[in-house]
Amino acid sequence: MPDLFLLVFLTMNAGLFDEHIGWSEERIELAEGAAVLRGFALPLAAELVTHIEAISAQSPFRHLMTPGGQRMSVAMTNCGGLGWTSGTGGYRYTTVDPLTGQPWPAMPPMFLDLAARAAAAAGFPGFVPDACLVNRYEPGSRLTMHQDRNERSDQQPIVSVSLGVPARFRFGGQGRDVPPKEVPLFHGDVVVWGGPSRMNYHGILPLKEASHPLTGNLRYNLTFRTAR
Ligand code: MD6
Ligand code: FE
């Protein structure tokens, strides 16, 4: 029932705009230092998707292999000075896309601006990311519980933007034993993540079959980090 789903989805997102700041200030605290800013990126969402298409025309989406040899169900690419990649050598950041042999596509200025504004809104002023991981989920794609720990410093937050089909996000604690909270992430939502929960485990449950007018059955996620 994709049409009904879309209607429900659009209704849920209606009224999120504030005339002045483009954001309703609906905010969900996941833990100290981690918050969902509902609809924060909604005014820019269509432009973000256009940029993702341009980025992936230059550095295509690919299914990386984990260091353990498993093909990841989420397809990835990057923009910015550094890109997150994976292989038998482990997880690392590179300046060059190993697939093309060229530098990763430049980070569009509007990406930098959005990431900095979202971080500041969540209490982390002065955020200047040097890496933007672009994730593409198709129905069934998931991200198992993990920590983001390949960045040189844990003093900077992470800013994560959701686009397209909604997903169920799981947020746990510092150890794998903490039972996770579950929260839906919709088109235009931004998660900002830093301070005491920067190293908390988190993941995305398998994407459900659904349709979004801008992305079809796909979900995109932009994850901004300061890697160095
Ligand atoms: C995703 N996000 O939303 C995957 N990591 O598709 C993440 O792994 C993530 O949303 C760190 C901080 C925020 C996130
Ligand atoms: Fe992560």
Side-chain angles (χ1 to χ4, degrees), residues 146 148 202 225:
H146 66 279
D148 288 18
H202 56 280
R225 299 106 186 262

Side-chain angles (χ1 to χ4, degrees), residues 208-226:
K208 289 182 176 167
E209 181 73 53
S211 183
H212 188 278
L214 281 181
T215 66
N217 64 358
L218 302 175
R219 169 179 186 259
Y220 295 111
N221 166 262
L222 302 172
T223 309
F224 296 93
R225 299 106 186 262
T226 304

